[in-house]
Amino acid sequence: MTTEAELTGSAALAAPPQDIEETAGAPAWGALLVVLAGLFVTNLDFFIVNVAIPSLQRDMHATPAQIQLVAVTFTIGLAALLITGGRLGDLYGRRRVYSVGVALFTLASLVCGIAPDMTELIVARAVQGAAAALVIPQVLGILNTAYTGKARVAAFNAYGLALGAAAVFGQLIGGLLIKADLFGWDWRTIFLINVPVGALVLLVTPKVVPESKADDGRTGLDLLGVVLVTAGLVAVVLPLVEGREQGWPAWTWELLVASVPLLGLFWITQRRLAARDRSPLMSPSLFHDRSFSVGVVSILVYFSVMASFFLVLALYLQEARGTSALKSGLLFIPLGLGFFLSSVQAPKFAGRLGKQVLALGALTVAVGDVALAFTADRLDTTGAVAWCIPAMAVCGYGMGLVVAPLTSLVLERVAPQYAAAASGVFSTAQEVGNALGVAIIGVVFFDVAEDHPGAHGMAQAFSTSLLVQAGICVGAAALLQLLPSRSRSTAG
């Protein structure tokens, strides 16, 4: 598998969608569209809910704690079960588990949309997160096994585009849906829109998506591994997403400390099962390849910047500048255009620079962050916010140079039988990175804002946060130098 990927070279990154359809043994391009639709809506729900918070709080008379739980329960359900979801796909069929996940996500979205009270909404959001954890690993697992050569690289590039689009345009899509107020549904629209999309995906999936599962002779689910990794990840993610809001009480630190032995014991049990040729939840051999191990750490570091960027940008636009959700969403368009432009150009850069295209992307984000920090500082609370657009476009351009190429690079050597499990690890690193970035940058942002009350303090907090993010991006560029040089041919 690796040899074929290397022979295709960086030119494969530019393969148009029809190359996917024409590749021998590959399913039609419709399979790609169907699985990416599931990926898009499940990732969109991570970002879109923030736009609905004001109307949700007003309509449901929700307390701040309840509003926080609407976001937290989804994140915890998603992050804690991604590795388990990936292994379920390897064992019982990736298309089957993908379909079950989409069905459960669609049903949970319906319950969210018609929820009569906050308790039902919060429970349904937890189910949404768990369902998304079934869907997301199967997408990369299906792409990794269904496509080969140029088609696989092009499919991974499309995966990165869908992932980035959900993040970049989440605010805009949410603002447009709430502004449209279809049938008077207000905030409920952001959940109910998932129902027809999910139903269509479920209808088409059996017709166009091929089935695949692990062919390693191992059967049965490692239940002890499920318990350990779920408990360990909850012990990491819950304090990270709740700690700042709660003032970092003792239980947050206790959970973070407890996560170390829990995840350590999980790793030990996985190694023992693998040594006995049993069925581990996550094969330790995945980390024997430097592309995968360094890539997973790089994902964690990079996505800590990406998630926190959208958080502080939304806070700056809406709190410091008083911009409405819809108008602030429109300001994300230049960032999105930069993202898509660089995603299209990434194959050309990868052909010339190899793995350094990723470092170039991280450094470009750092330059954009510094430029945006300087602009926001000069504008303070009175200058025209449109002056931020050039720097936002630079940030988006840098993001596009990282997201799509990194996916292919991390999974390039993964054996087909471990495709979904590896994808679960990949996605878990992304979600833990999201939580880690929001926690760290959130502390920086709100500490500065509290020291300088008012809109002026929010503007200062935004600038300071961006400088910290720029430093993390430089660190990510240095980390990427640990990737093996052979990634030059498959960086996209």
Side-chain angles (χ1 to χ4, degrees), residues 202-218:
L202 283 172
L203 179 66
V204 178
T205 295
K207 300 177 181 179
V208 300
V209 178
E211 183 61 284
S212 63
K213 62 174 66 175
D215 187 22
D216 57 2
R218 297 170 177 173

PDB file of all heavy atoms in Angstrom, residues 202-218:
ATOM      1  N   LEU A 202     -28.774   7.964   4.695  1.00  0.00           N
ATOM      2  CA  LEU A 202     -29.131   6.583   5.021  1.00  0.00           C
ATOM      3  C   LEU A 202     -29.731   5.859   3.822  1.00  0.00           C
ATOM      4  O   LEU A 202     -29.489   4.663   3.610  1.00  0.00           O
ATOM      5  CB  LEU A 202     -30.133   6.561   6.180  1.00  0.00           C
ATOM      6  CG  LEU A 202     -29.565   6.812   7.571  1.00  0.00           C
ATOM      7  CD1 LEU A 202     -30.701   6.945   8.577  1.00  0.00           C
ATOM      8  CD2 LEU A 202     -28.637   5.676   7.978  1.00  0.00           C
ATOM      9  N   LEU A 203     -30.502   6.577   3.021  1.00  0.00           N
ATOM     10  CA  LEU A 203     -31.139   5.980   1.845  1.00  0.00           C
ATOM     11  C   LEU A 203     -30.114   5.583   0.793  1.00  0.00           C
ATOM     12  O   LEU A 203     -30.220   4.515   0.170  1.00  0.00           O
ATOM     13  CB  LEU A 203     -32.148   6.968   1.253  1.00  0.00           C
ATOM     14  CG  LEU A 203     -32.891   6.515  -0.002  1.00  0.00           C
ATOM     15  CD1 LEU A 203     -33.800   5.323   0.318  1.00  0.00           C
ATOM     16  CD2 LEU A 203     -33.710   7.673  -0.581  1.00  0.00           C
ATOM     17  N   VAL A 204     -29.098   6.406   0.612  1.00  0.00           N
ATOM     18  CA  VAL A 204     -28.138   6.211  -0.485  1.00  0.00           C
ATOM     19  C   VAL A 204     -26.966   5.316  -0.088  1.00  0.00           C
ATOM     20  O   VAL A 204     -26.404   4.611  -0.930  1.00  0.00           O
ATOM     21  CB  VAL A 204     -27.631   7.586  -0.978  1.00  0.00           C
ATOM     22  CG1 VAL A 204     -26.598   7.425  -2.087  1.00  0.00           C
ATOM     23  CG2 VAL A 204     -28.797   8.438  -1.466  1.00  0.00           C
ATOM     24  N   THR A 205     -26.593   5.329   1.194  1.00  0.00           N
ATOM     25  CA  THR A 205     -25.382   4.618   1.631  1.00  0.00           C
ATOM     26  C   THR A 205     -25.311   3.157   1.177  1.00  0.00           C
ATOM     27  O   THR A 205     -24.285   2.735   0.622  1.00  0.00           O
ATOM     28  CB  THR A 205     -25.239   4.699   3.169  1.00  0.00           C
ATOM     29  OG1 THR A 205     -25.024   6.062   3.544  1.00  0.00           O
ATOM     30  CG2 THR A 205     -24.062   3.873   3.653  1.00  0.00           C
ATOM     31  N   PRO A 206     -26.344   2.333   1.364  1.00  0.00           N
ATOM     32  CA  PRO A 206     -26.227   0.919   0.953  1.00  0.00           C
ATOM     33  C   PRO A 206     -26.019   0.745  -0.550  1.00  0.00           C
ATOM     34  O   PRO A 206     -25.497  -0.285  -0.991  1.00  0.00           O
ATOM     35  CB  PRO A 206     -27.569   0.306   1.392  1.00  0.00           C
ATOM     36  CG  PRO A 206     -28.124   1.253   2.397  1.00  0.00           C
ATOM     37  CD  PRO A 206     -27.644   2.604   1.987  1.00  0.00           C
ATOM     38  N   LYS A 207     -26.410   1.743  -1.333  1.00  0.00           N
ATOM     39  CA  LYS A 207     -26.338   1.626  -2.791  1.00  0.00           C
ATOM     40  C   LYS A 207     -24.971   2.008  -3.362  1.00  0.00           C
ATOM     41  O   LYS A 207     -24.595   1.501  -4.433  1.00  0.00           O
ATOM     42  CB  LYS A 207     -27.417   2.508  -3.431  1.00  0.00           C
ATOM     43  CG  LYS A 207     -28.831   2.140  -3.014  1.00  0.00           C
ATOM     44  CD  LYS A 207     -29.855   3.085  -3.614  1.00  0.00           C
ATOM     45  CE  LYS A 207     -31.266   2.722  -3.163  1.00  0.00           C
ATOM     46  NZ  LYS A 207     -32.295   3.661  -3.714  1.00  0.00           N
ATOM     47  N   VAL A 208     -24.245   2.890  -2.677  1.00  0.00           N
ATOM     48  CA  VAL A 208     -23.012   3.404  -3.278  1.00  0.00           C
ATOM     49  C   VAL A 208     -21.753   3.178  -2.448  1.00  0.00           C
ATOM     50  O   VAL A 208     -20.647   3.289  -2.967  1.00  0.00           O
ATOM     51  CB  VAL A 208     -23.139   4.915  -3.597  1.00  0.00           C
ATOM     52  CG1 VAL A 208     -24.279   5.172  -4.567  1.00  0.00           C
ATOM     53  CG2 VAL A 208     -23.313   5.734  -2.320  1.00  0.00           C
ATOM     54  N   VAL A 209     -21.895   2.885  -1.152  1.00  0.00           N
ATOM     55  CA  VAL A 209     -20.723   2.729  -0.293  1.00  0.00           C
ATOM     56  C   VAL A 209     -20.405   1.250  -0.123  1.00  0.00           C
ATOM     57  O   VAL A 209     -21.262   0.477   0.309  1.00  0.00           O
ATOM     58  CB  VAL A 209     -20.958   3.376   1.092  1.00  0.00           C
ATOM     59  CG1 VAL A 209     -19.745   3.159   1.994  1.00  0.00           C
ATOM     60  CG2 VAL A 209     -21.248   4.863   0.938  1.00  0.00           C
ATOM     61  N   PRO A 210     -19.179   0.821  -0.446  1.00  0.00           N
ATOM     62  CA  PRO A 210     -18.817  -0.588  -0.291  1.00  0.00           C
ATOM     63  C   PRO A 210     -18.606  -0.950   1.171  1.00  0.00           C
ATOM     64  O   PRO A 210     -18.206  -0.115   1.974  1.00  0.00           O
ATOM     65  CB  PRO A 210     -17.502  -0.697  -1.075  1.00  0.00           C
ATOM     66  CG  PRO A 210     -16.908   0.676  -0.984  1.00  0.00           C
ATOM     67  CD  PRO A 210     -18.074   1.627  -0.992  1.00  0.00           C
ATOM     68  N   GLU A 211     -18.865  -2.197   1.502  1.00  0.00           N
ATOM     69  CA  GLU A 211     -18.637  -2.674   2.865  1.00  0.00           C
ATOM     70  C   GLU A 211     -17.205  -3.169   2.996  1.00  0.00           C
ATOM     71  O   GLU A 211     -16.620  -3.694   2.048  1.00  0.00           O
ATOM     72  CB  GLU A 211     -19.628  -3.800   3.206  1.00  0.00           C
ATOM     73  CG  GLU A 211     -19.510  -4.325   4.637  1.00  0.00           C
ATOM     74  CD  GLU A 211     -19.780  -3.254   5.687  1.00  0.00           C
ATOM     75  OE1 GLU A 211     -18.880  -2.406   5.898  1.00  0.00           O
ATOM     76  OE2 GLU A 211     -20.861  -3.267   6.275  1.00  0.00           O
ATOM     77  N   SER A 212     -16.628  -2.985   4.164  1.00  0.00           N
ATOM     78  CA  SER A 212     -15.288  -3.492   4.445  1.00  0.00           C
ATOM     79  C   SER A 212     -15.157  -3.681   5.948  1.00  0.00           C
ATOM     80  O   SER A 212     -15.834  -3.025   6.734  1.00  0.00           O
ATOM     81  CB  SER A 212     -14.215  -2.520   3.940  1.00  0.00           C
ATOM     82  OG  SER A 212     -14.299  -1.275   4.627  1.00  0.00           O
ATOM     83  N   LYS A 213     -14.296  -4.597   6.336  1.00  0.00           N
ATOM     84  CA  LYS A 213     -13.998  -4.803   7.754  1.00  0.00           C
ATOM     85  C   LYS A 213     -12.584  -5.351   7.872  1.00  0.00           C
ATOM     86  O   LYS A 213     -11.942  -5.662   6.870  1.00  0.00           O
ATOM     87  CB  LYS A 213     -15.010  -5.738   8.397  1.00  0.00           C
ATOM     88  CG  LYS A 213     -15.042  -7.134   7.801  1.00  0.00           C
ATOM     89  CD  LYS A 213     -15.958  -8.055   8.579  1.00  0.00           C
ATOM     90  CE  LYS A 213     -17.409  -7.653   8.500  1.00  0.00           C
ATOM     91  NZ  LYS A 213     -18.312  -8.626   9.161  1.00  0.00           N
ATOM     92  N   ALA A 214     -12.099  -5.457   9.093  1.00  0.00           N
ATOM     93  CA  ALA A 214     -10.747  -5.961   9.310  1.00  0.00           C
ATOM     94  C   ALA A 214     -10.666  -7.422   8.909  1.00  0.00           C
ATOM     95  O   ALA A 214     -11.577  -8.203   9.184  1.00  0.00           O
ATOM     96  CB  ALA A 214     -10.359  -5.793  10.777  1.00  0.00           C
ATOM     97  N   ASP A 215      -9.566  -7.782   8.269  1.00  0.00           N
ATOM     98  CA  ASP A 215      -9.363  -9.161   7.834  1.00  0.00           C
ATOM     99  C   ASP A 215      -8.123  -9.718   8.528  1.00  0.00           C
ATOM    100  O   ASP A 215      -7.185 -10.217   7.890  1.00  0.00           O
ATOM    101  CB  ASP A 215      -9.194  -9.203   6.315  1.00  0.00           C
ATOM    102  CG  ASP A 215      -9.160 -10.630   5.783  1.00  0.00           C
ATOM    103  OD1 ASP A 215      -9.665 -11.519   6.488  1.00  0.00           O
ATOM    104  OD2 ASP A 215      -8.610 -10.836   4.683  1.00  0.00           O
ATOM    105  N   ASP A 216      -8.118  -9.601   9.864  1.00  0.00           N
ATOM    106  CA  ASP A 216      -6.942 -10.038  10.619  1.00  0.00           C
ATOM    107  C   ASP A 216      -7.194 -11.291  11.450  1.00  0.00           C
ATOM    108  O   ASP A 216      -6.347 -11.707  12.243  1.00  0.00           O
ATOM    109  CB  ASP A 216      -6.456  -8.909  11.538  1.00  0.00           C
ATOM    110  CG  ASP A 216      -7.535  -8.426  12.499  1.00  0.00           C
ATOM    111  OD1 ASP A 216      -8.638  -8.987  12.486  1.00  0.00           O
ATOM    112  OD2 ASP A 216      -7.262  -7.481  13.270  1.00  0.00           O
ATOM    113  N   GLY A 217      -8.397 -11.869  11.287  1.00  0.00           N
ATOM    114  CA  GLY A 217      -8.704 -13.098  12.008  1.00  0.00           C
ATOM    115  C   GLY A 217      -9.062 -12.893  13.465  1.00  0.00           C
ATOM    116  O   GLY A 217      -9.331 -13.856  14.172  1.00  0.00           O
ATOM    117  N   ARG A 218      -9.043 -11.651  13.932  1.00  0.00           N
ATOM    118  CA  ARG A 218      -9.352 -11.382  15.340  1.00  0.00           C
ATOM    119  C   ARG A 218     -10.808 -10.949  15.470  1.00  0.00           C
ATOM    120  O   ARG A 218     -11.280 -10.121  14.708  1.00  0.00           O
ATOM    121  CB  ARG A 218      -8.441 -10.289  15.879  1.00  0.00           C
ATOM    122  CG  ARG A 218      -6.962 -10.666  15.876  1.00  0.00           C
ATOM    123  CD  ARG A 218      -6.104  -9.476  16.196  1.00  0.00           C
ATOM    124  NE  ARG A 218      -4.685  -9.834  16.255  1.00  0.00           N
ATOM    125  CZ  ARG A 218      -3.704  -8.954  16.392  1.00  0.00           C
ATOM    126  NH1 ARG A 218      -3.974  -7.661  16.481  1.00  0.00           N
ATOM    127  NH2 ARG A 218      -2.445  -9.355  16.425  1.00  0.00           N
TER     128      ARG A 218
END
